[in-house]
Protein backbone atom coordinates (compact mmCIF):
# COMPACT_ATOMS: atom_id res chain seq x y z
CA UNK A 1 0.00 0.00 0.00
CA UNK A 2 1.39 3.39 -0.88
CA UNK A 3 1.85 6.12 1.71
CA UNK A 4 -0.73 8.20 -0.13
CA UNK A 5 -3.35 5.43 0.06
CA UNK A 6 -2.54 4.83 3.70
CA UNK A 7 -2.89 8.52 4.50
CA UNK A 8 -6.44 8.54 3.15
CA UNK A 9 -7.51 5.39 4.93
CA UNK A 10 -5.81 6.02 8.28
CA UNK A 11 -4.84 9.70 8.56
CA UNK A 12 -3.96 9.56 12.25
CA UNK A 13 -1.40 6.74 12.07
CA UNK A 14 1.87 7.99 13.52
CA UNK A 15 5.43 6.83 12.91
CA UNK A 16 8.79 8.07 14.16
CA UNK A 17 11.86 8.44 12.00
CA UNK A 18 15.39 8.61 13.48
CA UNK A 19 18.58 10.03 11.98
CA UNK A 20 21.85 11.31 13.37
CA UNK A 21 23.52 14.69 13.22
CA UNK A 22 26.88 15.54 11.73
CA UNK A 23 30.13 14.44 13.35
CA UNK A 24 33.82 14.27 12.59
CA UNK A 25 34.76 10.83 11.26
CA UNK A 26 37.09 8.86 13.57
CA UNK A 27 36.35 11.22 16.43
CA UNK A 28 35.51 9.93 19.89
CA UNK A 29 32.89 12.59 20.50
CA UNK A 30 29.14 12.60 20.49
CA UNK A 31 26.50 13.71 18.05
CA UNK A 32 22.75 14.14 18.20
CA UNK A 33 20.17 11.52 17.39
CA UNK A 34 16.83 13.03 16.42
CA UNK A 35 13.45 11.37 16.10
CA UNK A 36 10.58 13.08 14.33
CA UNK A 37 7.07 11.88 15.10
CA UNK A 38 4.73 12.44 12.19
CA UNK A 39 1.37 11.36 10.93
CA UNK A 40 1.15 9.70 7.56
CA UNK A 41 -0.88 12.68 6.35
CA UNK A 42 2.32 14.72 6.72
CA UNK A 43 1.73 16.53 10.00
CA UNK A 44 4.73 16.68 12.34
CA UNK A 45 3.58 15.89 15.85
CA UNK A 46 6.83 16.22 17.77
CA UNK A 47 10.58 15.96 17.91
CA UNK A 48 12.71 13.91 20.32
CA UNK A 49 16.48 14.13 20.64
CA UNK A 50 19.39 12.73 22.58
CA UNK A 51 23.13 12.35 22.12
CA UNK A 52 24.97 9.21 21.06
CA UNK A 53 28.62 8.24 20.99
CA UNK A 54 30.45 8.29 17.65
CA UNK A 55 31.30 4.64 16.86
CA UNK A 56 29.70 3.66 20.17
CA UNK A 57 27.07 1.02 20.79
CA UNK A 58 24.50 3.15 22.61
CA UNK A 59 22.06 4.04 19.81
CA UNK A 60 19.61 1.14 20.41
CA UNK A 61 19.45 1.79 24.16
CA UNK A 62 19.01 5.53 23.61
CA UNK A 63 16.24 5.02 21.03
CA UNK A 64 14.32 2.74 23.41
CA UNK A 65 14.74 5.10 26.36
CA UNK A 66 13.83 8.17 24.32
CA UNK A 67 10.71 6.74 22.70
CA UNK A 68 9.37 4.71 25.63
CA UNK A 69 9.83 7.70 27.92
CA UNK A 70 7.86 10.01 25.65
CA UNK A 71 4.19 10.82 25.42
CA UNK A 72 4.33 9.65 21.79
CA UNK A 73 5.12 6.00 22.50
CA UNK A 74 1.50 4.78 22.78
CA UNK A 75 0.62 6.52 19.50
CA UNK A 76 3.59 5.43 17.35
CA UNK A 77 2.79 2.47 15.09
CA UNK A 78 6.26 1.97 13.56
CA UNK A 79 9.88 3.11 13.84
CA UNK A 80 11.89 4.14 10.78
CA UNK A 81 15.68 4.42 10.89
CA UNK A 82 17.90 6.14 8.37
CA UNK A 83 20.05 3.06 7.83
CA UNK A 84 21.19 0.63 10.52
CA UNK A 85 24.11 2.63 11.86
CA UNK A 86 24.39 6.10 13.29
CA UNK A 87 27.37 8.28 14.18
CA UNK A 88 29.78 6.20 12.17
CA UNK A 89 29.31 2.60 13.26
CA UNK A 90 26.95 2.96 16.21
CA UNK A 91 24.93 0.02 14.89
CA UNK A 92 21.30 -0.58 15.79
CA UNK A 93 20.13 -4.15 16.37
CA UNK A 94 16.82 -4.01 14.48
CA UNK A 95 15.25 -7.25 15.77
CA UNK A 96 16.15 -6.33 19.36
CA UNK A 97 14.79 -2.79 18.92
CA UNK A 98 11.55 -4.19 17.55
CA UNK A 99 11.18 -6.55 20.53
CA UNK A 100 11.97 -3.87 23.10
CA UNK A 101 9.66 -1.30 21.52
CA UNK A 102 6.97 -3.81 20.54
CA UNK A 103 6.79 -2.05 17.18
CA UNK A 104 7.99 -2.84 13.66
CA UNK A 105 11.39 -1.25 13.00
CA UNK A 106 12.42 -0.56 9.40
CA UNK A 107 15.73 0.73 8.06
CA UNK A 108 15.48 3.00 5.04
CA UNK A 109 18.47 3.68 2.79
CA UNK A 110 19.06 6.47 0.31
CA UNK A 111 21.18 4.08 -1.71
CA UNK A 112 22.08 0.43 -1.39
CA UNK A 113 24.91 -0.02 1.14
CA UNK A 114 28.21 -1.46 -0.10
CA UNK A 115 28.79 -4.27 2.40
CA UNK A 116 32.36 -4.87 1.21
CA UNK A 117 33.29 -1.23 1.90
CA UNK A 118 31.52 -1.39 5.26
CA UNK A 119 33.45 -4.51 6.23
CA UNK A 120 36.72 -2.79 5.26
CA UNK A 121 35.83 0.37 7.21
CA UNK A 122 35.00 -1.72 10.27
CA UNK A 123 38.55 -3.12 10.45
CA UNK A 124 39.64 -0.13 12.56
CA UNK A 125 37.23 -1.11 15.37
CA UNK A 126 38.14 -3.82 17.88
CA UNK A 127 34.69 -5.48 17.78
CA UNK A 128 34.22 -5.28 14.01
CA UNK A 129 32.82 -8.81 13.78
CA UNK A 130 30.03 -8.08 16.23
CA UNK A 131 29.06 -4.87 14.44
CA UNK A 132 29.04 -6.52 11.02
CA UNK A 133 26.82 -9.33 12.38
CA UNK A 134 24.41 -6.67 13.70
CA UNK A 135 24.28 -5.11 10.24
CA UNK A 136 23.56 -8.52 8.71
CA UNK A 137 20.87 -9.23 11.34
CA UNK A 138 18.85 -6.35 9.92
CA UNK A 139 17.74 -8.71 7.19
CA UNK A 140 17.66 -8.60 3.42
CA UNK A 141 17.59 -5.28 1.61
CA UNK A 142 14.54 -4.83 -0.61
CA UNK A 143 14.04 -2.20 -3.25
CA UNK A 144 10.79 -0.27 -2.88
Amino acid sequence: MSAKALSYSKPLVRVIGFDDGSFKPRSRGKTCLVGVVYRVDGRVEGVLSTSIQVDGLDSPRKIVKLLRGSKFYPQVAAVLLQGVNFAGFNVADLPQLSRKLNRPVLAVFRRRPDLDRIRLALTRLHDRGRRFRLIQKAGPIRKA
Side-chain angles (χ1 to χ4, degrees), residues 25-92:
R26 300 180 192 218
S27 71
R28 291 291 169 218
K30 291 189 173 202
T31 191
C32 63
L33 180 68
V34 177
V36 177
V37 179
Y38 59 96
R39 293 191 327 206
V40 294
D41 67 357
R43 181 176 173 174
V44 172
E45 299 256 315
V47 177
L48 304 173
S49 68
T50 190
S51 63
I52 56 172
Q53 187 70 41
V54 173
D55 291 333
L57 288 169
D58 60 345
S59 64
R61 179 177 48 81
K62 296 277 186 102
I63 289 170
V64 169
K65 182 178 179 183
L66 193 62
L67 182 55
R68 287 190 71 110
S70 77
K71 68 180 181 180
F72 302 110
Y73 178 68
Q75 304 164 9
V76 168
V79 178
L80 307 175
L81 306 179
Q82 179 60 49
V84 295
N85 54 292
F86 302 99
F89 287 107
N90 196 326
V91 183

